[in-house]
Amino acid sequence: VQGAEALARWRHPTRGMIPPAEFIPVAEEIGLIGDIGTWILRAACVEASTWPHDITVAVNLSSVQLRDTSLPLTVLSALEESGLPASRLELEITESALMQDEALAFDTLQTLRAMGIRISMDDFGTGYSSLNYLRRFPFSKIKIDQSFIRHAPQDYECVAIIQAITTLASKLHMSVTVEGVETDEQRAFTIAEGCDQIQGYLISRPVDAASMRQFSREPSQKAA
């Protein structure tokens, strides 16, 4: 295991587990998404500080957070409070988040990269997939959306797209993570194509913090 992604889940006292697809839009509508995002960032850094020192944690940034000029200070505070080295934090950005204010996003991401934090382009291939973003912004990783591996290696078009993105990332000195890997056949395909990491149910379904601490210490032949 090389890293894990922090996912938000809401345990409601009467409705049970509420997925982010339901509560995140509401949080955005009432103006709480920034506070929730900051809480997730701090909690993820604290939790990751208990893992083995070679495992990173990835946290998604919303467009609201990316437009907040104090974001670098917020991230720095989370790192200092948790004791987590900047090199073990990865921030994931979608194209839609970049489009809100490209100039501000560029300055913010440059500052974060200068701090030693890794920046990933999340869900690549589902939005505009602007190659200009890859050229302009300081990404260290491309995460290929799970919709492409879902039909690979049988679907020729999906295979061709994964091959093209992997080659492009290599030329730009970026690593590649394939999201949504669920079978050994898909894993073998990603290895053959030179992808750096995989993420998906083949490695593990989402787990709580206590289970992740145990999982991170178990010997494994799989790279996640």
Side-chain angles (χ1 to χ4, degrees):
V1 177
Q2 298 177 0
E5 180 178 348
L7 302 174
R9 297 292 186 270
W10 180 9
R11 296 181 185 273
H12 193 277
T14 58
R15 297 179 58 188
M17 192 71 74
I18 301 177
E22 292 186 23
F23 70 80
I24 291 297
V26 176
E28 291 176 339
E29 183 178 341
I30 63 178
L32 288 179
I33 191 62
D35 292 335
I36 292 175
T38 297
W39 179 84
I40 293 172
L41 172 66
R42 293 182 183 278
C45 288
V46 169
E47 190 58 40
S49 69
T50 68
W51 303 344
H53 292 170
D54 57 346
I55 297 181
T56 62
V57 63
V59 179
N60 292 277
L61 288 184
S62 68
S63 59
V64 172
Q65 289 173 284
L66 202 54
R67 294 197 305 271
D68 184 354
T69 55
S70 65
L71 177 62
L73 291 177
T74 299
V75 173
L76 180 61
S77 175
L79 293 173
E80 290 179 341
E81 290 174 2
S82 64
L84 186 74
S87 60
R88 291 182 57 201
L89 176 61
E90 179 179 316
L91 298 177
E92 299 188 0
I93 318 291
T94 61
E95 287 180 89
S96 59
L98 293 175
M99 293 173 62
Q100 301 294 322
D101 189 330
E102 293 186 17
L104 178 57
F106 176 81
D107 291 341
T108 299
L109 295 183
Q110 287 281 36
T111 300
L112 292 169
R113 272 303 297 271
M115 293 165 56
I117 295 164
R118 310 179 193 197
I119 309 295
S120 298
M121 167 67 85
D122 196 18
D123 299 335
F124 188 75
T126 58
Y128 291 93
S129 299
S130 173
L131 300 183
N132 192 42
Y133 284 149
L134 296 181
R135 180 185 67 83
R136 291 178 53 212
F137 290 89
F139 291 109
S140 53
K141 177 190 290 186
I142 297 174
K143 298 189 72 174
I144 301 177
D145 186 74
Q146 61 182 335
S147 59
F148 297 107
I149 195 63
R150 187 176 299 139
H151 304 291
Q154 292 79 17
D155 187 291
Y156 172 78
E157 286 80 8
C158 288
V159 168
I161 290 171
I162 292 173
Q163 290 174 333
I165 295 174
T166 302
T167 300
L168 175 64
S170 176
K171 295 293 185 181
L172 294 175
H173 306 290
M174 300 177 187
S175 62
V176 171
T177 294
V178 180
E179 300 176 298
V181 175
E182 298 184 357
T183 68
D184 285 320
E185 183 182 28
Q186 292 171 341
R187 176 174 179 263
F189 165 73
T190 63
I191 292 174
E193 295 303 328
C195 300
D196 301 287
Q197 296 176 327
I198 62 173
Q199 177 179 340
Y201 286 176
L202 179 64
I203 304 299
S204 173
R205 290 179 176 272
V207 296
D208 60 22
S211 298
M212 178 58 200
R213 285 193 292 272
Q214 179 180 355
F215 183 75
S216 67
R217 289 171 170 79
E218 293 178 354
S220 174
Q221 299 301 313
K222 300 174 182 177

PDB file of all heavy atoms in Angstrom, residues 197-222:
ATOM      1  N   GLN A 197       0.243   3.355 -10.233  1.00  0.00           N
ATOM      2  CA  GLN A 197      -0.553   2.932  -9.086  1.00  0.00           C
ATOM      3  C   GLN A 197      -1.960   2.567  -9.534  1.00  0.00           C
ATOM      4  O   GLN A 197      -2.424   3.015 -10.585  1.00  0.00           O
ATOM      5  CB  GLN A 197      -0.645   4.053  -8.039  1.00  0.00           C
ATOM      6  CG  GLN A 197       0.672   4.450  -7.411  1.00  0.00           C
ATOM      7  CD  GLN A 197       0.509   5.628  -6.461  1.00  0.00           C
ATOM      8  OE1 GLN A 197      -0.324   6.499  -6.673  1.00  0.00           O
ATOM      9  NE2 GLN A 197       1.298   5.651  -5.403  1.00  0.00           N
ATOM     10  N   ILE A 198      -2.632   1.767  -8.708  1.00  0.00           N
ATOM     11  CA  ILE A 198      -4.044   1.484  -8.926  1.00  0.00           C
ATOM     12  C   ILE A 198      -4.809   1.804  -7.651  1.00  0.00           C
ATOM     13  O   ILE A 198      -4.249   1.820  -6.552  1.00  0.00           O
ATOM     14  CB  ILE A 198      -4.298   0.018  -9.334  1.00  0.00           C
ATOM     15  CG1 ILE A 198      -3.841  -0.944  -8.228  1.00  0.00           C
ATOM     16  CG2 ILE A 198      -3.639  -0.296 -10.657  1.00  0.00           C
ATOM     17  CD1 ILE A 198      -4.219  -2.395  -8.490  1.00  0.00           C
ATOM     18  N   GLN A 199      -6.093   2.067  -7.830  1.00  0.00           N
ATOM     19  CA  GLN A 199      -6.975   2.358  -6.701  1.00  0.00           C
ATOM     20  C   GLN A 199      -8.309   1.696  -7.000  1.00  0.00           C
ATOM     21  O   GLN A 199      -8.809   1.773  -8.118  1.00  0.00           O
ATOM     22  CB  GLN A 199      -7.156   3.868  -6.549  1.00  0.00           C
ATOM     23  CG  GLN A 199      -8.116   4.286  -5.448  1.00  0.00           C
ATOM     24  CD  GLN A 199      -8.228   5.808  -5.337  1.00  0.00           C
ATOM     25  OE1 GLN A 199      -7.362   6.539  -5.802  1.00  0.00           O
ATOM     26  NE2 GLN A 199      -9.291   6.287  -4.727  1.00  0.00           N
ATOM     27  N   GLY A 200      -8.887   1.018  -6.016  1.00  0.00           N
ATOM     28  CA  GLY A 200     -10.179   0.396  -6.268  1.00  0.00           C
ATOM     29  C   GLY A 200     -10.467  -0.761  -5.336  1.00  0.00           C
ATOM     30  O   GLY A 200      -9.677  -1.084  -4.442  1.00  0.00           O
ATOM     31  N   TYR A 201     -11.598  -1.408  -5.559  1.00  0.00           N
ATOM     32  CA  TYR A 201     -12.068  -2.470  -4.675  1.00  0.00           C
ATOM     33  C   TYR A 201     -11.148  -3.687  -4.670  1.00  0.00           C
ATOM     34  O   TYR A 201     -11.195  -4.491  -3.733  1.00  0.00           O
ATOM     35  CB  TYR A 201     -13.475  -2.903  -5.080  1.00  0.00           C
ATOM     36  CG  TYR A 201     -14.560  -1.909  -4.717  1.00  0.00           C
ATOM     37  CD1 TYR A 201     -15.882  -2.116  -5.099  1.00  0.00           C
ATOM     38  CD2 TYR A 201     -14.264  -0.759  -3.985  1.00  0.00           C
ATOM     39  CE1 TYR A 201     -16.882  -1.217  -4.765  1.00  0.00           C
ATOM     40  CE2 TYR A 201     -15.248   0.149  -3.645  1.00  0.00           C
ATOM     41  CZ  TYR A 201     -16.563  -0.083  -4.040  1.00  0.00           C
ATOM     42  OH  TYR A 201     -17.544   0.811  -3.706  1.00  0.00           O
ATOM     43  N   LEU A 202     -10.326  -3.865  -5.706  1.00  0.00           N
ATOM     44  CA  LEU A 202      -9.383  -4.985  -5.688  1.00  0.00           C
ATOM     45  C   LEU A 202      -8.426  -4.848  -4.510  1.00  0.00           C
ATOM     46  O   LEU A 202      -8.023  -5.847  -3.904  1.00  0.00           O
ATOM     47  CB  LEU A 202      -8.588  -5.036  -6.998  1.00  0.00           C
ATOM     48  CG  LEU A 202      -7.550  -6.161  -7.102  1.00  0.00           C
ATOM     49  CD1 LEU A 202      -8.236  -7.528  -7.079  1.00  0.00           C
ATOM     50  CD2 LEU A 202      -6.707  -6.015  -8.367  1.00  0.00           C
ATOM     51  N   ILE A 203      -8.058  -3.626  -4.192  1.00  0.00           N
ATOM     52  CA  ILE A 203      -7.175  -3.372  -3.053  1.00  0.00           C
ATOM     53  C   ILE A 203      -7.978  -3.364  -1.761  1.00  0.00           C
ATOM     54  O   ILE A 203      -7.669  -4.066  -0.804  1.00  0.00           O
ATOM     55  CB  ILE A 203      -6.443  -2.026  -3.212  1.00  0.00           C
ATOM     56  CG1 ILE A 203      -5.668  -1.993  -4.533  1.00  0.00           C
ATOM     57  CG2 ILE A 203      -5.510  -1.779  -2.029  1.00  0.00           C
ATOM     58  CD1 ILE A 203      -4.612  -3.060  -4.656  1.00  0.00           C
ATOM     59  N   SER A 204      -9.027  -2.557  -1.736  1.00  0.00           N
ATOM     60  CA  SER A 204      -9.864  -2.472  -0.539  1.00  0.00           C
ATOM     61  C   SER A 204     -11.094  -1.634  -0.831  1.00  0.00           C
ATOM     62  O   SER A 204     -11.032  -0.669  -1.593  1.00  0.00           O
ATOM     63  CB  SER A 204      -9.083  -1.837   0.620  1.00  0.00           C
ATOM     64  OG  SER A 204      -9.927  -1.612   1.740  1.00  0.00           O
ATOM     65  N   ARG A 205     -12.197  -2.000  -0.228  1.00  0.00           N
ATOM     66  CA  ARG A 205     -13.357  -1.118  -0.210  1.00  0.00           C
ATOM     67  C   ARG A 205     -13.106  -0.024   0.832  1.00  0.00           C
ATOM     68  O   ARG A 205     -12.190  -0.153   1.646  1.00  0.00           O
ATOM     69  CB  ARG A 205     -14.623  -1.913   0.136  1.00  0.00           C
ATOM     70  CG  ARG A 205     -15.058  -2.853  -0.987  1.00  0.00           C
ATOM     71  CD  ARG A 205     -16.300  -3.639  -0.614  1.00  0.00           C
ATOM     72  NE  ARG A 205     -16.743  -4.454  -1.727  1.00  0.00           N
ATOM     73  CZ  ARG A 205     -17.579  -4.043  -2.688  1.00  0.00           C
ATOM     74  NH1 ARG A 205     -18.084  -2.812  -2.628  1.00  0.00           N
ATOM     75  NH2 ARG A 205     -17.922  -4.828  -3.685  1.00  0.00           N
ATOM     76  N   PRO A 206     -13.884   1.053   0.815  1.00  0.00           N
ATOM     77  CA  PRO A 206     -13.696   2.095   1.831  1.00  0.00           C
ATOM     78  C   PRO A 206     -13.785   1.513   3.241  1.00  0.00           C
ATOM     79  O   PRO A 206     -14.652   0.678   3.522  1.00  0.00           O
ATOM     80  CB  PRO A 206     -14.851   3.063   1.552  1.00  0.00           C
ATOM     81  CG  PRO A 206     -15.142   2.881   0.096  1.00  0.00           C
ATOM     82  CD  PRO A 206     -14.933   1.415  -0.158  1.00  0.00           C
ATOM     83  N   VAL A 207     -12.878   1.940   4.108  1.00  0.00           N
ATOM     84  CA  VAL A 207     -12.853   1.447   5.488  1.00  0.00           C
ATOM     85  C   VAL A 207     -12.789   2.634   6.444  1.00  0.00           C
ATOM     86  O   VAL A 207     -12.440   3.751   6.050  1.00  0.00           O
ATOM     87  CB  VAL A 207     -11.641   0.521   5.735  1.00  0.00           C
ATOM     88  CG1 VAL A 207     -11.740  -0.736   4.882  1.00  0.00           C
ATOM     89  CG2 VAL A 207     -10.328   1.251   5.457  1.00  0.00           C
ATOM     90  N   ASP A 208     -13.114   2.389   7.707  1.00  0.00           N
ATOM     91  CA  ASP A 208     -13.029   3.466   8.689  1.00  0.00           C
ATOM     92  C   ASP A 208     -11.581   3.647   9.140  1.00  0.00           C
ATOM     93  O   ASP A 208     -10.682   2.895   8.739  1.00  0.00           O
ATOM     94  CB  ASP A 208     -13.957   3.204   9.875  1.00  0.00           C
ATOM     95  CG  ASP A 208     -13.639   1.904  10.615  1.00  0.00           C
ATOM     96  OD1 ASP A 208     -12.494   1.415  10.513  1.00  0.00           O
ATOM     97  OD2 ASP A 208     -14.541   1.382  11.295  1.00  0.00           O
ATOM     98  N   ALA A 209     -11.361   4.651   9.972  1.00  0.00           N
ATOM     99  CA  ALA A 209      -9.999   5.017  10.364  1.00  0.00           C
ATOM    100  C   ALA A 209      -9.277   3.881  11.074  1.00  0.00           C
ATOM    101  O   ALA A 209      -8.106   3.599  10.802  1.00  0.00           O
ATOM    102  CB  ALA A 209     -10.033   6.263  11.246  1.00  0.00           C
ATOM    103  N   ALA A 210      -9.965   3.207  11.991  1.00  0.00           N
ATOM    104  CA  ALA A 210      -9.328   2.126  12.746  1.00  0.00           C
ATOM    105  C   ALA A 210      -8.923   0.982  11.823  1.00  0.00           C
ATOM    106  O   ALA A 210      -7.828   0.417  11.955  1.00  0.00           O
ATOM    107  CB  ALA A 210     -10.275   1.624  13.836  1.00  0.00           C
ATOM    108  N   SER A 211      -9.792   0.651  10.878  1.00  0.00           N
ATOM    109  CA  SER A 211      -9.483  -0.432   9.937  1.00  0.00           C
ATOM    110  C   SER A 211      -8.323  -0.050   9.031  1.00  0.00           C
ATOM    111  O   SER A 211      -7.496  -0.891   8.674  1.00  0.00           O
ATOM    112  CB  SER A 211     -10.718  -0.758   9.097  1.00  0.00           C
ATOM    113  OG  SER A 211     -11.778  -1.214   9.909  1.00  0.00           O
ATOM    114  N   MET A 212      -8.242   1.225   8.653  1.00  0.00           N
ATOM    115  CA  MET A 212      -7.145   1.677   7.810  1.00  0.00           C
ATOM    116  C   MET A 212      -5.815   1.579   8.538  1.00  0.00           C
ATOM    117  O   MET A 212      -4.797   1.201   7.944  1.00  0.00           O
ATOM    118  CB  MET A 212      -7.394   3.121   7.350  1.00  0.00           C
ATOM    119  CG  MET A 212      -6.266   3.688   6.487  1.00  0.00           C
ATOM    120  SD  MET A 212      -5.943   2.706   5.008  1.00  0.00           S
ATOM    121  CE  MET A 212      -4.285   3.259   4.610  1.00  0.00           C
ATOM    122  N   ARG A 213      -5.800   1.888   9.819  1.00  0.00           N
ATOM    123  CA  ARG A 213      -4.556   1.770  10.580  1.00  0.00           C
ATOM    124  C   ARG A 213      -4.054   0.333  10.570  1.00  0.00           C
ATOM    125  O   ARG A 213      -2.859   0.080  10.416  1.00  0.00           O
ATOM    126  CB  ARG A 213      -4.770   2.262  12.014  1.00  0.00           C
ATOM    127  CG  ARG A 213      -4.857   3.777  12.142  1.00  0.00           C
ATOM    128  CD  ARG A 213      -4.741   4.225  13.585  1.00  0.00           C
ATOM    129  NE  ARG A 213      -5.894   3.836  14.387  1.00  0.00           N
ATOM    130  CZ  ARG A 213      -6.997   4.556  14.520  1.00  0.00           C
ATOM    131  NH1 ARG A 213      -7.109   5.713  13.884  1.00  0.00           N
ATOM    132  NH2 ARG A 213      -7.998   4.145  15.278  1.00  0.00           N
ATOM    133  N   GLN A 214      -4.976  -0.612  10.713  1.00  0.00           N
ATOM    134  CA  GLN A 214      -4.593  -2.023  10.690  1.00  0.00           C
ATOM    135  C   GLN A 214      -4.188  -2.451   9.286  1.00  0.00           C
ATOM    136  O   GLN A 214      -3.177  -3.128   9.095  1.00  0.00           O
ATOM    137  CB  GLN A 214      -5.755  -2.887  11.185  1.00  0.00           C
ATOM    138  CG  GLN A 214      -5.451  -4.384  11.170  1.00  0.00           C
ATOM    139  CD  GLN A 214      -6.621  -5.213  11.674  1.00  0.00           C
ATOM    140  OE1 GLN A 214      -7.625  -4.677  12.129  1.00  0.00           O
ATOM    141  NE2 GLN A 214      -6.492  -6.527  11.595  1.00  0.00           N
ATOM    142  N   PHE A 215      -4.969  -2.030   8.295  1.00  0.00           N
ATOM    143  CA  PHE A 215      -4.710  -2.408   6.905  1.00  0.00           C
ATOM    144  C   PHE A 215      -3.353  -1.899   6.437  1.00  0.00           C
ATOM    145  O   PHE A 215      -2.634  -2.580   5.701  1.00  0.00           O
ATOM    146  CB  PHE A 215      -5.822  -1.844   6.018  1.00  0.00           C
ATOM    147  CG  PHE A 215      -5.711  -2.213   4.564  1.00  0.00           C
ATOM    148  CD1 PHE A 215      -6.026  -3.486   4.132  1.00  0.00           C
ATOM    149  CD2 PHE A 215      -5.296  -1.270   3.629  1.00  0.00           C
ATOM    150  CE1 PHE A 215      -5.930  -3.821   2.786  1.00  0.00           C
ATOM    151  CE2 PHE A 215      -5.193  -1.598   2.286  1.00  0.00           C
ATOM    152  CZ  PHE A 215      -5.515  -2.885   1.863  1.00  0.00           C
ATOM    153  N   SER A 216      -2.986  -0.697   6.863  1.00  0.00           N
ATOM    154  CA  SER A 216      -1.739  -0.088   6.406  1.00  0.00           C
ATOM    155  C   SER A 216      -0.509  -0.826   6.913  1.00  0.00           C
ATOM    156  O   SER A 216       0.582  -0.676   6.358  1.00  0.00           O
ATOM    157  CB  SER A 216      -1.672   1.380   6.854  1.00  0.00           C
ATOM    158  OG  SER A 216      -1.558   1.476   8.267  1.00  0.00           O
ATOM    159  N   ARG A 217      -0.694  -1.623   7.953  1.00  0.00           N
ATOM    160  CA  ARG A 217       0.440  -2.343   8.532  1.00  0.00           C
ATOM    161  C   ARG A 217       0.524  -3.793   8.072  1.00  0.00           C
ATOM    162  O   ARG A 217       1.460  -4.508   8.427  1.00  0.00           O
ATOM    163  CB  ARG A 217       0.361  -2.290  10.059  1.00  0.00           C
ATOM    164  CG  ARG A 217       0.651  -0.906  10.620  1.00  0.00           C
ATOM    165  CD  ARG A 217       0.370  -0.817  12.104  1.00  0.00           C
ATOM    166  NE  ARG A 217       0.861   0.435  12.665  1.00  0.00           N
ATOM    167  CZ  ARG A 217       0.241   1.601  12.553  1.00  0.00           C
ATOM    168  NH1 ARG A 217      -0.905   1.672  11.901  1.00  0.00           N
ATOM    169  NH2 ARG A 217       0.756   2.701  13.085  1.00  0.00           N
ATOM    170  N   GLU A 218      -0.454  -4.226   7.278  1.00  0.00           N
ATOM    171  CA  GLU A 218      -0.445  -5.604   6.801  1.00  0.00           C
ATOM    172  C   GLU A 218       0.441  -5.732   5.572  1.00  0.00           C
ATOM    173  O   GLU A 218       0.362  -4.910   4.660  1.00  0.00           O
ATOM    174  CB  GLU A 218      -1.869  -6.050   6.453  1.00  0.00           C
ATOM    175  CG  GLU A 218      -2.788  -6.143   7.659  1.00  0.00           C
ATOM    176  CD  GLU A 218      -4.197  -6.533   7.272  1.00  0.00           C
ATOM    177  OE1 GLU A 218      -4.464  -6.612   6.053  1.00  0.00           O
ATOM    178  OE2 GLU A 218      -5.020  -6.755   8.168  1.00  0.00           O
ATOM    179  N   PRO A 219       1.291  -6.765   5.516  1.00  0.00           N
ATOM    180  CA  PRO A 219       2.114  -6.975   4.320  1.00  0.00           C
ATOM    181  C   PRO A 219       1.231  -7.310   3.137  1.00  0.00           C
ATOM    182  O   PRO A 219       0.248  -8.022   3.251  1.00  0.00           O
ATOM    183  CB  PRO A 219       3.009  -8.161   4.707  1.00  0.00           C
ATOM    184  CG  PRO A 219       2.252  -8.873   5.779  1.00  0.00           C
ATOM    185  CD  PRO A 219       1.515  -7.801   6.539  1.00  0.00           C
ATOM    186  N   SER A 220       1.550  -6.751   1.972  1.00  0.00           N
ATOM    187  CA  SER A 220       0.731  -6.974   0.779  1.00  0.00           C
ATOM    188  C   SER A 220       1.603  -6.933  -0.456  1.00  0.00           C
ATOM    189  O   SER A 220       2.603  -6.232  -0.516  1.00  0.00           O
ATOM    190  CB  SER A 220      -0.361  -5.907   0.673  1.00  0.00           C
ATOM    191  OG  SER A 220      -1.065  -6.025  -0.540  1.00  0.00           O
ATOM    192  N   GLN A 221       1.195  -7.698  -1.463  1.00  0.00           N
ATOM    193  CA  GLN A 221       1.906  -7.705  -2.733  1.00  0.00           C
ATOM    194  C   GLN A 221       1.294  -6.713  -3.710  1.00  0.00           C
ATOM    195  O   GLN A 221       1.775  -6.546  -4.818  1.00  0.00           O
ATOM    196  CB  GLN A 221       1.863  -9.117  -3.349  1.00  0.00           C
ATOM    197  CG  GLN A 221       2.516 -10.178  -2.475  1.00  0.00           C
ATOM    198  CD  GLN A 221       3.965  -9.883  -2.179  1.00  0.00           C
ATOM    199  OE1 GLN A 221       4.733  -9.538  -3.077  1.00  0.00           O
ATOM    200  NE2 GLN A 221       4.359 -10.002  -0.916  1.00  0.00           N
ATOM    201  N   LYS A 222       0.217  -6.066  -3.301  1.00  0.00           N
ATOM    202  CA  LYS A 222      -0.492  -5.160  -4.198  1.00  0.00           C
ATOM    203  C   LYS A 222      -0.077  -3.723  -3.918  1.00  0.00           C
ATOM    204  O   LYS A 222       0.097  -3.327  -2.775  1.00  0.00           O
ATOM    205  CB  LYS A 222      -2.005  -5.307  -4.023  1.00  0.00           C
ATOM    206  CG  LYS A 222      -2.521  -6.712  -4.323  1.00  0.00           C
ATOM    207  CD  LYS A 222      -3.988  -6.819  -3.988  1.00  0.00           C
ATOM    208  CE  LYS A 222      -4.518  -8.231  -4.243  1.00  0.00           C
ATOM    209  NZ  LYS A 222      -5.929  -8.370  -3.860  1.00  0.00           N
TER     210      LYS A 222
END
